[in-house]
Structures are given as structure tokens and as C-alpha cells.
Amino acid sequence: MTFPHRHLLGIEQLRPEEITTILDLAEEYVALNRGDKKHSDVLSGLTQINMFFENSTRTQASFELAGKRLGADVMNMAMQASSVKKGETLIDTALTLNAMHPDLLVVRHPHSGAVDLLAQKVNCAVLNAGDGRHEHPTQALLDALTIRRAKGRLHRLSIAICGDIAHSRVARSNIMLLGKMENRIRLIGPPTLMPSGIEEFGVEVFDNMDEGLKDVDVVMMLRLQKERMDGGFIPSEREYYHRYGLDAEKLSHAKPDAIVMHPGPMNRGVEIDSDIADDINRSVIQEQVEMGVAVRMAAMDLLARNLKGTA
Amino acid sequence: MTLPNRTLFTNARLIDPEAATETLGSLLIEDGMIVAVYDAAATTDESATVIDCVGKYLAPGIVDIGVKVCEPGERHKESFRTAGQAAAAGGVTTMVTRPDTDPTIDNPETLEFVIRRAREAAPVHVHPMAALTKAREGREMTEIGFLQDAGAVAFTDCDSVIVDTKVFSRALTYARSLGALVIAHPQEPILSKGAAVTSGKFASLRGLPAVTAMAERMGLDRDIALVEMTGARYHADQITTARALPALERAKANGLDITAGTSIHHLTLNALDVADYRTFFKIKPPLREEEDRLAIAQAVASGLIDIISSMHTPQDEESKRLPFEEAASGAVALETFLPAAMRLVHADIIDLPTLWRAMSFNPASLLGLPSGRLSVGAPADLVLFDPNAPFVMDRATLKSKSRNTPFDGQRMQGKVIATYVSGNKVYGT
């Protein structure tokens, strides 16, 4: 198994076989996590620092659990409350961190490209836990693992990504990953929430759910941020739900065995109907959370092997 | 016996932007003025110091409208001394400086300070511009008359767009009565708010806040209407998109007193150069698509766009080493102006006399300066250069105090050999 990267900054830098490598290893960790002894020592002696410059409960918990299960010493730094507010630059932060000798650095930042910038300045392996509207690679990887387990393959599937594409790093990473694995990607959403030039990404674009969902294997819903709901990008929450919220009627246009995904946290009654979200035959949303821990364990394991030169 | 202030340049390729010619000849200067131009390549003059320019080009020095010198307020980024040395090294003999300093140059006292500092420290000519509205806030006009008397050659709020059209139209009307030139930044300010790049595939891929290229045309359309209404003298600082060009062409055809500029960066770089969030490529307006770059270059070649500026904007490392959205805009360019412009010549998009029209003759004419010419009676502001000399740009060699150049590490062609201001050599061995 080779994974020739120092950092995991985005899906953009990964080759298809490297994606498969991560997913295969993650499968092993799914098994470990479901067993009695949920522990391994592959990161034993290593220090993992989670730096979140933007609020996150789920992703941070997932990375923390992943690190702890692999035996790393995990520290969380809530950067919103720290010296960043006092005008310390990202570079200063990087220099401070270097002095602490971490091995793995998990970073989320509200600005696109900020994690790349930090990675250039620190001496350890950096995992991007989401930067602005740019990338969220571990989310795309956990989505891929979920799809592969549910569908038995990760190629030649028709996959719809629905909602606020423009502001979504999850969408960007997924478009790249699913495209690299040779799937057919459809983007569905109001035109005000579509990024410009998106057609050039090798995707099909729809502004109508019924047409867009026709015969798809996978329906990925995206979270609509509250601050985008009132008049700026869409007229109202209720009109959005009416036109783009996933309900049984809209889902009936997809294949009968289509799965429903959501990166969470969900706005029930805005982008997704509660009945769909909780339908154990269709929704794999809980499974996504489980895969998240396994994928992050796999990613950190691979990066740590490079650190130790045992890859 | 040679006279101390008399120099003869022989065997030079003379670029005369006024006559639109490139000829082999000689040029005699005395006491800071051009006193003779000869067709013959090899002329001798026993009373002059003779400089043999074989294989080299001699042209009027560059007149650069829109240079930011960070005095007052941010001398750690650039001073009149460092900017002046950078200008000299770049063949720029006249810097027309911007008022977007801290504090803004919006009153005669600050303007006089700037003029005094420039005289003390800069080896090239400096003509300051002043703000059109106080603190560039777009609310109250500045003392245009006093500022003009104190030496302001134009009035501009730089990249800050005056949103209130009543304020702007009154300022234009008032400026017209004084014959003052107003320079504006054509951009729809609300559409472009917060944008770091031009919208399109690349912006979407990088997840950066973006502005449509249309915002420039909207800004220009508005300004043209106001110029038509007020009859003011108007110059658009930077036209950077293909879509703005038809509006500019129409306005000129309708006889409005409108000229337009563009920046050397928009002529030589495009949106993709930002690559992996390289903040040295963050400028304002943002870099455009390749089609826009080509259209703008053609517009300079055809004369539709009158002026090329460096838009020299020093930023220190701290302002640039930030996430792209937060990083400061602007690039230094005084020293890379000429070699960057040579890319257009080497790509056969533009010839040297036309290029010099846009970099020297036109800006001088617009501001009523006597330079920008290679004719008898013009000041001996000259640049001697080799348009073909290759080099790899190393930003550590820049004389500018800030070294935020997008050309670092790039192969360039075109070297300044010597620069003369009023007959005095200010750069070269």
C-alpha cells in the first residue's frame, strides 16, 4: 500500500488508486470499531492536535475519537476563543505549533486555502477538516465508503448532489472524488446556489428535483445554512422546501433502491423530510457517521506511516 | 573639449511614440533637454560625452500613472526613496502617485508634505494626485481648487468607488470648471463587494468569493453616463475585461472627454495564475480570463485603451501571508513594468512605438507634462534598454521596500541599461 502524500489537503491531489487505498484500510477499521476491543496502537506515541477555527461538534468529535482509538495523544484547540482573535496570524500560529512538535494536525478554517497555507509552514502532517468553500476531503471519503458498502461499487453510479452547491466544500470534494472514480454526477439546486462555471466540471446541472433525481442510485442532500435562507439566495425556507426539500414524492423519481445521504447536521423540514431521513431502508445517514470515524482512522494511519517511514 | 551637461547617444534604435517610429539614429541632450535628433546613426560631437548605444534602444522614460508610495503612513512598505530607486531601475522617469495613503492625501497640507518628501528623496519626477472626496469616503468633495494650485495633477478616490451618484456628479461638475482630470475605478461596488477573484470555473474550484466580469462594464456604463451629463475630463484607471470595451469605444466615438488605462498585470497574467492561492497574484480588480487579457492587449494595440500603468502597490509579507480572502491586494511593478510589457512585443501583439505611446506619450499628454517625447525641446527623460536581454526574475533583487511581485522566478526578457531624468543618469553604470 502506498500513499505518497505528506498531507491530506484535498481530493484534488489524490489519484483513484489512492482513494481506493484509503477506503480499503477504512474497511478494516470499520471491523475494529465494531469489535469488543476498539483500540489499536498504530499512532501510539504520536501527538494529534485538532485546530478548529470554525465551530464543529461532529467532525471534531469524529477526528478525536479516531485518534484516540489509534492510540494517539489528542489535544483539541478551540481557535475561535484563542489568540487568533487577538490578531495573531495563521503563520504565527503555525510557528507556535511547530514548537510543540505535533505529528498530526487536523485543521478546519473558514477561509478557502487557509489549510494549504498552514501546511506550508508546519513540520507535521496536516489533515484538512474543511477550509471555506474549498474542500472537505474526509467527508467525501466517508461518503464514498458509505456508497461503496451500500452499492457494492464506487463506479458507474448515477449520483445526485442537491442543494447549496455554491457554498459547499462537501459538494466540491464529492464532485472531484466521484468524478475521479468515474461516476455520473448530477447537481440539483436553485441557480442562485450554483457556482459559476460549474458545467465545466463534467457534471450535469438541474434546477428541478424531479428531472434531476430521475433514475439516480444515490441522493446526496446538502445542508442549507440558515443565513442563506432569507431572501438573499432563495425567497424563503418554505419555498425552498417545496421545490428542493427531499420528500417521498421527489424521491420516487430516483431508482427504487436509491440511498439517501446527508453530511449533517440536518435541517429537517428544510432540505429533507423527517420520514425520509429516518427511513432505515433508504437513509444511510447514521452509517455515514460511523464511516467517518473509520475513514479518519485510515487517513491518519497512512499519513503516520509516512512520518515514520514505514509506508 | 567636452561640456559637462552635453551627452550624445549614438547608434541607438530611437523609439519615438509621438511619430510612431523606430529608427536608427543619434540623440543629443544638453542641460536636461533634448537639443537634437539625428537620422544618421554615427554622429560625432566633440563637445559632448558620447555614449555608443549599438544594439540598444533609446526611448522616452515611462510615465506611470497610479503609483502607490506609502507615504504618509506606511513607510515600512515603501518610501519615496525606495519607490524612486525602483522607478529609476525600471525606466520610469515620472511617477504619478496615488492618494490612497494613510491618511488620505485629501488636503493641500498633506499634498505639500508629499511633494516635499518626493523632492528630497526620489531621483525621478513625482507628480501627486489627490483624492476627489475627503478620506475617499465618497461623501464630500475635497478642495479641488486648492489642491490643484498645490500641484495635484489629477483627482481620484483610487479603488474606492463613489457610490452616491449625486456626490460623484457634483464632484465631476466642479472638477470640470477647473479643467481638472478625474480618474475613477469603473466597478459596480455592491456586486464586487468582498470578491477576491473573477467568477468562473477556477473561482468555483478554489471556493473563493468572486465577482462577475460584468461588474466592470456596469461601473463604466454608469461613469460614462455621468461624464455625458457633466462634461468632465474622465480617465478610467483600469479597463480589464472584454465586455467593457464596446462601451468605451462608443463613449469615445460620441466625443466624450474619456480616456482609459489598464494595468501591466492584466496584460500579462490571467486568473489561473492564482493557482494554489498565491496571494502575490491577488490584485484589484482581480485577474481575468485569458480571452479578456487578449482583448485588452488588442485594445492597447489599437489605441482604444490609451494608457498602461504599473499600478505599483507595495504590500509587506504580513499583509500577503494570509488566507487568500484576507490577504491584501496589489503587486509591486515599477521594476518589472518594462520586461513584462516586452512580453507583448515578443508575442507580436504590439510594436514598440505603440507600446511607448501607452506607457509614456499618452500619460504625459493626458496630464499636460512635457515628457514622453523624443523631440527637440522635450526634457531629457530617457530610458536606454535592451528588449531582448533574458533573465530570471528574483524578487530579492528588487529595490522596492516591498517585494510582492507576481513575476518572482519567471523568465523575462528586457533589461533597463540606464535611466536619465532631466539629463541626469539616475540608474545604470
Side-chain angles (χ1 to χ4, degrees), chain B residues 38 54 56 62 91 176 197 239 246 264 273 314 317-318 332 368 424:
Chain B
Y38 307 105
V54 67
K56 312 292 192 303
I62 297 168
R176 186 206 55 201
V197 288
I239 296 295
I264 188 62
D273 284 308
E317 303 282 311
E318 284 65 41
V332 292
N424 298 314

mmCIF file of all heavy atoms in Angstrom, chain B residues 38 54 56 62 91 176 197 239 246 264 273 314 317-318 332 368 424:
data_model
loop_
_atom_site.group_PDB
_atom_site.id
_atom_site.type_symbol
_atom_site.label_atom_id
_atom_site.label_comp_id
_atom_site.label_asym_id
_atom_site.label_seq_id
_atom_site.Cartn_x
_atom_site.Cartn_y
_atom_site.Cartn_z
ATOM 1 N N TYR B 38 19.229 63.120 -34.663
ATOM 2 C CA TYR B 38 19.819 62.907 -35.984
ATOM 3 C C TYR B 38 19.381 61.569 -36.548
ATOM 4 O O TYR B 38 19.316 60.570 -35.826
ATOM 5 C CB TYR B 38 21.355 62.908 -35.900
ATOM 6 C CG TYR B 38 21.935 64.126 -35.223
ATOM 7 C CD1 TYR B 38 22.441 64.031 -33.928
ATOM 8 C CD2 TYR B 38 21.986 65.354 -35.884
ATOM 9 C CE1 TYR B 38 22.985 65.134 -33.296
ATOM 10 C CE2 TYR B 38 22.530 66.470 -35.250
ATOM 11 C CZ TYR B 38 23.029 66.352 -33.953
ATOM 12 O OH TYR B 38 23.567 67.447 -33.328
ATOM 13 N N VAL B 54 25.006 50.968 -29.534
ATOM 14 C CA VAL B 54 24.800 49.964 -30.581
ATOM 15 C C VAL B 54 24.068 48.737 -30.017
ATOM 16 O O VAL B 54 24.392 48.222 -28.951
ATOM 17 C CB VAL B 54 26.144 49.592 -31.260
ATOM 18 C CG1 VAL B 54 27.077 48.871 -30.282
ATOM 19 C CG2 VAL B 54 25.904 48.734 -32.487
ATOM 20 N N LYS B 56 21.190 48.801 -28.758
ATOM 21 C CA LYS B 56 20.279 49.153 -27.675
ATOM 22 C C LYS B 56 19.181 50.099 -28.170
ATOM 23 O O LYS B 56 19.281 50.692 -29.228
ATOM 24 C CB LYS B 56 21.042 49.852 -26.542
ATOM 25 C CG LYS B 56 22.310 49.147 -26.102
ATOM 26 C CD LYS B 56 22.016 47.838 -25.429
ATOM 27 C CE LYS B 56 23.241 47.279 -24.729
ATOM 28 N NZ LYS B 56 24.391 47.095 -25.656
ATOM 29 N N ILE B 62 9.366 56.115 -18.956
ATOM 30 C CA ILE B 62 7.972 55.735 -18.710
ATOM 31 C C ILE B 62 7.320 56.749 -17.764
ATOM 32 O O ILE B 62 7.940 57.207 -16.802
ATOM 33 C CB ILE B 62 7.910 54.316 -18.113
ATOM 34 C CG1 ILE B 62 8.475 53.304 -19.120
ATOM 35 C CG2 ILE B 62 6.491 53.951 -17.707
ATOM 36 C CD1 ILE B 62 8.738 51.924 -18.534
ATOM 37 N N GLY B 91 13.147 52.198 -15.419
ATOM 38 C CA GLY B 91 12.975 53.070 -16.580
ATOM 39 C C GLY B 91 11.796 54.012 -16.470
ATOM 40 O O GLY B 91 11.385 54.625 -17.448
ATOM 41 N N ARG B 176 -14.820 69.926 -13.615
ATOM 42 C CA ARG B 176 -14.835 70.407 -14.996
ATOM 43 C C ARG B 176 -14.572 71.910 -15.055
ATOM 44 O O ARG B 176 -13.833 72.396 -15.895
ATOM 45 C CB ARG B 176 -16.186 70.087 -15.653
ATOM 46 C CG ARG B 176 -16.209 70.431 -17.138
ATOM 47 C CD ARG B 176 -17.615 70.731 -17.629
ATOM 48 N NE ARG B 176 -18.218 71.789 -16.836
ATOM 49 C CZ ARG B 176 -19.519 72.008 -16.734
ATOM 50 N NH1 ARG B 176 -20.379 71.239 -17.376
ATOM 51 N NH2 ARG B 176 -19.985 72.993 -16.011
ATOM 52 N N VAL B 197 -11.534 37.084 -6.459
ATOM 53 C CA VAL B 197 -11.158 36.640 -7.808
ATOM 54 C C VAL B 197 -12.331 36.881 -8.756
ATOM 55 O O VAL B 197 -13.408 37.281 -8.328
ATOM 56 C CB VAL B 197 -10.792 35.130 -7.829
ATOM 57 C CG1 VAL B 197 -9.459 34.854 -7.153
ATOM 58 C CG2 VAL B 197 -11.886 34.292 -7.207
ATOM 59 N N ILE B 239 -9.228 49.301 -17.303
ATOM 60 C CA ILE B 239 -10.221 48.503 -18.025
ATOM 61 C C ILE B 239 -9.569 47.140 -18.226
ATOM 62 O O ILE B 239 -8.482 47.028 -18.796
ATOM 63 C CB ILE B 239 -10.588 49.152 -19.372
ATOM 64 C CG1 ILE B 239 -11.267 50.505 -19.139
ATOM 65 C CG2 ILE B 239 -11.485 48.227 -20.194
ATOM 66 C CD1 ILE B 239 -12.599 50.444 -18.433
ATOM 67 N N PRO B 246 -16.723 47.682 -25.757
ATOM 68 C CA PRO B 246 -17.680 48.366 -26.649
ATOM 69 C C PRO B 246 -18.215 49.662 -26.051
ATOM 70 O O PRO B 246 -18.402 50.659 -26.755
ATOM 71 C CB PRO B 246 -18.789 47.325 -26.836
ATOM 72 C CG PRO B 246 -18.139 46.012 -26.566
ATOM 73 C CD PRO B 246 -17.101 46.284 -25.509
ATOM 74 N N ILE B 264 -0.385 46.618 -16.206
ATOM 75 C CA ILE B 264 0.550 45.689 -16.841
ATOM 76 C C ILE B 264 0.236 44.253 -16.413
ATOM 77 O O ILE B 264 0.422 43.313 -17.191
ATOM 78 C CB ILE B 264 2.016 46.083 -16.504
ATOM 79 C CG1 ILE B 264 2.986 45.239 -17.334
ATOM 80 C CG2 ILE B 264 2.323 45.958 -15.017
ATOM 81 C CD1 ILE B 264 2.878 45.414 -18.826
ATOM 82 N N ASP B 273 -3.365 32.098 -12.954
ATOM 83 C CA ASP B 273 -2.061 32.276 -12.313
ATOM 84 C C ASP B 273 -2.144 32.241 -10.787
ATOM 85 O O ASP B 273 -1.131 32.036 -10.120
ATOM 86 C CB ASP B 273 -1.416 33.591 -12.773
ATOM 87 C CG ASP B 273 -0.853 33.478 -14.185
ATOM 88 O OD1 ASP B 273 -0.092 32.525 -14.424
ATOM 89 O OD2 ASP B 273 -1.182 34.304 -15.035
ATOM 90 N N PRO B 314 2.757 48.410 -3.146
ATOM 91 C CA PRO B 314 3.592 47.637 -2.219
ATOM 92 C C PRO B 314 2.761 47.070 -1.066
ATOM 93 O O PRO B 314 1.896 47.760 -0.526
ATOM 94 C CB PRO B 314 4.591 48.680 -1.692
ATOM 95 C CG PRO B 314 4.429 49.877 -2.580
ATOM 96 C CD PRO B 314 3.041 49.852 -3.095
ATOM 97 N N GLU B 317 5.117 41.431 3.733
ATOM 98 C CA GLU B 317 4.888 39.985 3.811
ATOM 99 C C GLU B 317 3.668 39.671 4.684
ATOM 100 O O GLU B 317 2.883 38.793 4.366
ATOM 101 C CB GLU B 317 6.116 39.293 4.410
ATOM 102 C CG GLU B 317 7.412 39.556 3.665
ATOM 103 C CD GLU B 317 7.554 38.721 2.394
ATOM 104 O OE1 GLU B 317 7.340 37.506 2.475
ATOM 105 O OE2 GLU B 317 7.877 39.295 1.344
ATOM 106 N N GLU B 318 3.550 40.418 5.786
ATOM 107 C CA GLU B 318 2.471 40.134 6.722
ATOM 108 C C GLU B 318 1.099 40.333 6.079
ATOM 109 O O GLU B 318 0.163 39.629 6.394
ATOM 110 C CB GLU B 318 2.584 41.038 7.962
ATOM 111 C CG GLU B 318 3.665 40.617 8.933
ATOM 112 C CD GLU B 318 5.065 40.720 8.350
ATOM 113 O OE1 GLU B 318 5.342 41.714 7.649
ATOM 114 O OE2 GLU B 318 5.865 39.802 8.560
ATOM 115 N N VAL B 332 3.804 44.972 -6.497
ATOM 116 C CA VAL B 332 4.790 45.967 -6.918
ATOM 117 C C VAL B 332 5.087 45.733 -8.389
ATOM 118 O O VAL B 332 5.013 44.603 -8.873
ATOM 119 C CB VAL B 332 6.102 45.894 -6.110
ATOM 120 C CG1 VAL B 332 5.874 46.327 -4.683
ATOM 121 C CG2 VAL B 332 6.735 44.526 -6.189
ATOM 122 N N GLY B 368 -0.691 66.829 -19.236
ATOM 123 C CA GLY B 368 -0.091 68.091 -19.658
ATOM 124 C C GLY B 368 1.380 68.200 -19.329
ATOM 125 O O GLY B 368 1.906 69.306 -19.126
ATOM 126 N N ASN B 424 20.141 63.722 -16.167
ATOM 127 C CA ASN B 424 20.996 63.091 -15.167
ATOM 128 C C ASN B 424 20.758 61.592 -15.138
ATOM 129 O O ASN B 424 19.612 61.142 -15.111
ATOM 130 C CB ASN B 424 20.699 63.649 -13.771
ATOM 131 C CG ASN B 424 20.989 65.125 -13.699
ATOM 132 O OD1 ASN B 424 22.036 65.579 -14.166
ATOM 133 N ND2 ASN B 424 20.043 65.878 -13.162
#
